[in-house]
């Protein structure tokens, strides 16, 4: 019997779906495998106020309709918190351009993914990794390259900026970075603002992509 549980920097897991026998069983499996708080939220009730810094949002794409998808995307795009989004039970026909509209997207799992692989994927996301099928990952990289050709690749970063950029690559929130580096959250925000300005990027995703291309 597997007893490993994955401690992570995530605050809690929000399973966003419709209540059913299947979703209840998945909820129980998640609670057994993770130290984090795990709650089930109804996908038709769009409320970004339930999201806190460090949360991982698990969207059941078989349960949520297109209208609710757009509402959730819009609400999360305007949410000031730092979180991660993972889509599971994702149909093959769900277009890549719709996937990249989700803010803080960190993983996608199609309908044929079994529970064990889904949980392994959640663990990887908790460790700061991304979990995308190759075709989706290639699309994301392509869009970043096409949309942002003017990034500043020749830039000198301070030691602290490099430390914070490293934490961003690991998926840490502002609060987590502050705790890890023993500085205030406002100081973290100032460093991140300066980083974005130096790198000529607009958000954390672009900053991480810049780091993956330019830093060892």
């Amino acid at each position: 019997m597997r007893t490993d549980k994955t401690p992570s920097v995530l605050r809690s897991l929000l399973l966003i779906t419709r209540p059913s026998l299947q979703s209840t069983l998945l909820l129980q499996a998640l609670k057994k495998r993770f130290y984090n708080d795990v709650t089930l939220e109804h996908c038709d009730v769009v409320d970004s106020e339930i999201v806190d810094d460090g949360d991982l949002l698990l969207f059941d794409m078989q349960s949520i309709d297109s209208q609710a998808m757009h509402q959730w995307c819009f609400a999360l795009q305007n949410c000031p918190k730092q979180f991660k989004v993972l889509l599971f039970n994702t149909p093959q026909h769900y277009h890549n351009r719709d996937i990249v509209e989700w803010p803080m997207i960190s993983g996608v799992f199609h309908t044929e993914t079994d529970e064990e692989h889904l949980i392994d994927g959640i663990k990887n996301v908790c460790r700061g990794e991304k979990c995308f099928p190759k075709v989706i990952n290639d699309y994301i990289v392509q869009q970043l390259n096409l949309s942002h050709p003017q990034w500043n690749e020749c830039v000198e970063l301070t030691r602290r900026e490099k430390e914070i950029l490293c934490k961003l690559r690991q998926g840490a929130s502002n609060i987590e970075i502050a705790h890890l580096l023993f500085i205030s959250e406002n100081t973290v925000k100032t460093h991140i603002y300066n980083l974005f300005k130096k790198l000529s990027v607009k958000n954390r995703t672009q900053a991480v992509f810049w780091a993956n291309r330019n830093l060892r």
Side-chain angles (χ1 to χ4, degrees), residues 86-182:
L86 189 151
L87 311 180
F88 72 101
N89 281 337
T90 308
Q92 292 285 351
H93 60 76
Y94 191 53
H95 201 281
N96 292 341
R97 66 171 175 267
D98 295 319
I99 290 173
V100 299
E101 287 296 315
W102 287 89
M104 308 293 184
I105 185 71
S106 297
V108 174
F109 294 88
H110 289 122
T111 50
E112 62 270 19
T113 304
D114 60 30
E115 182 180 289
E116 194 67 23
H117 284 91
L118 173 61
I119 290 177
D120 286 342
I122 295 172
K123 289 181 179 180
N124 290 335
V125 171
C126 290
R127 299 185 186 104
E129 301 176 17
K130 305 292 185 184
C131 292
F132 297 112
K134 185 178 183 303
V135 63
I136 296 176
N137 187 72
D138 290 347
Y139 179 84
I140 292 173
V141 171
Q142 179 189 44
Q143 291 304 304
L144 287 170
N145 276 326
L146 291 174
S147 302
H148 308 283
Q150 303 301 320
W151 290 359
N152 188 0
E153 296 184 359
C154 299
V155 60
E156 291 188 8
L157 302 178
T158 66
R159 177 183 61 83
R160 181 63 84 191
E161 287 170 344
K162 289 179 180 179
E163 289 175 341
I164 290 178
L165 192 53
C166 179
K167 300 306 179 187
L168 292 180
R169 295 171 80 179
Q170 296 171 2
S173 68
N174 290 353
I175 292 177
E176 292 160 358
I177 294 172
H179 289 166
L180 291 168
L181 299 182
F182 304 102

Side-chain angles (χ1 to χ4, degrees), residues 11 25 28-29 56 58 75-76 85 89 103 111 130 132 137 164 176 188 202 207:
R11 178 185 176 95
L25 292 174
Q28 292 173 350
L56 176 59
L58 313 177
L76 294 176
V85 169
N89 281 337
T111 50
K130 305 292 185 184
F132 297 112
N137 187 72
I164 290 178
E176 292 160 358
V188 172
K202 297 181 179 180

